[in-house]
Amino acid sequence: EVQLVESGGGLVEPGGSLRLSCVASGITFSNTWMSWVRQAPGKGLDWIGRIKSKSDGGTTYYAAPVNGRFTISRDESKNTLYLQMNSLKTEDTAVYYCTTDCSGGSCYGGHFDPWGQGILVTVSS
Amino acid sequence: DIQMTQSPSTLSASIGDTVTITCRASQNINNWLAWYQQKPGKAPKLLIYKTSTLASGVPSRFSGSDSGTEFTLTITSLQPDDFATYYCQQYTSFGQGTRLEIK
């Protein structure tokens, strides 16, 4: 069974930093593209970034609102995906989900499946 | 960037009804259109991908179709467990969501 488990969320002041982790099991992580998607309280889903598999170059892509502030990385030895968030703003308050990205790599079809349980990040003074 | 316009934003229906949710793309896209179900406090769950392929374990009362740039999620014979919020997704764009509530 594929499982994604996020950790590292919490309360941080505006301008601060936080790093989220997502441990994957049940998949060949090294062949899998991964994405982060967030959901502000009471709002819809927003894709924030993607990292290709190492074998596909490990290239990263970001949505405009987080480009230059957030960095996605991966550690194949730990089957772990990371989201480093710097210069946090109040509007970054959201539940953050990691998800397998089927735009390439080991799956195909452009969808996101499965998803982690989500982790809450609150940016407030 | 592709924009996905989803409608309606809220839908009221009764157990046993058939409902339709629509997603329109701002430009011609391929058939990589997915639908998700989300319940309060839970992660989204994949229902359908590549427009009409049912994800593993999803009941056959869920179906997807397309007509040009308009994509449709149909749920027949609504069950209590189906009342939730539904999102479409294409590439990195999600629709705004449709909240399906009990009438």
Side-chain angles (χ1 to χ4, degrees), chain A:
Chain A
E1 179 195 2
V2 179
Q3 198 168 17
L4 302 173
V5 179
E6 300 101 335
S7 62
L11 174 64
V12 61
E13 292 186 346
S17 298
L18 207 58
R19 187 178 82 158
L20 305 184
S21 300
C22 169
V23 178
S25 58
I27 58 172
T28 305
F29 184 71
S30 58
N31 292 342
T32 305
W33 293 21
M34 301 293 295
S35 271
W36 288 96
V37 176
R38 70 183 179 184
Q39 186 170 35
K43 302 297 184 183
L45 301 168
D46 289 314
W47 175 86
I48 58 171
R50 159 188 295 143
I51 185 166
K52 292 184 175 180
S53 60
K54 268 268 169 45
S55 58
D56 286 328
T59 312
T60 52
Y61 304 86
Y62 301 95
V66 307
N67 194 26
R69 299 187 298 123
F70 289 12
T71 301
I72 298 174
S73 61
R74 58 194 299 157
D75 184 339
E76 261 60 29
S77 68
K78 297 180 179 178
N79 276 13
T80 301
L81 174 73
Y82 299 102
L83 178 65
Q84 177 67 44
M85 303 183 291
N86 298 330
S87 303
L88 281 160
K89 306 175 181 180
T90 55
E91 52 264 41
D92 294 319
T93 294
V95 173
Y96 286 73
Y97 298 99
C98 67
T99 178
T100 298
D101 187 333
C102 289
S103 299
S106 59
C107 61
Y108 186 77
H111 51 284
F112 301 110
D113 180 59
W115 298 58
Q117 85 283 0
I119 192 85
L120 177 63
V121 172
T122 303
V123 185
S124 174
S125 53

Side-chain angles (χ1 to χ4, degrees), chain B residues 19-93:
Chain B
V19 297
T20 298
I21 299 169
T22 298
C23 209
R24 181 171 283 114
S26 59
Q27 58 185 272
N28 283 330
I29 61 176
N30 62 16
N31 71 338
W32 283 16
L33 190 286
W35 292 95
Y36 303 85
Q37 177 193 69
Q38 187 179 33
K39 295 183 178 179
K42 300 294 187 182
K45 171 191 171 185
L46 178 69
L47 295 175
I48 287 170
Y49 62 100
K50 286 198 289 183
T51 299
S52 59
T53 303
L54 227 56
S56 176
V58 175
S60 59
R61 62 180 182 273
F62 291 89
S63 63
S65 63
D66 74 302
S67 176
T69 58
E70 187 168 289
F71 297 81
T72 300
L73 171 69
T74 300
I75 314 171
T76 58
S77 187
L78 274 172
Q79 300 299 302
D81 192 51
D82 299 337
F83 292 93
T85 300
Y86 294 85
Y87 295 93
C88 62
Q89 170 255 328
Q90 215 277 341
Y91 298 132
T92 59
S93 294

Side-chain angles (χ1 to χ4, degrees), chain B residues 12-18 78 83 101-103:
Chain B
S12 297
S14 302
I15 302 296
D17 283 355
T18 293
L78 274 172
F83 292 93
E101 58 181 31
I102 298 178
K103 186 184 289 183

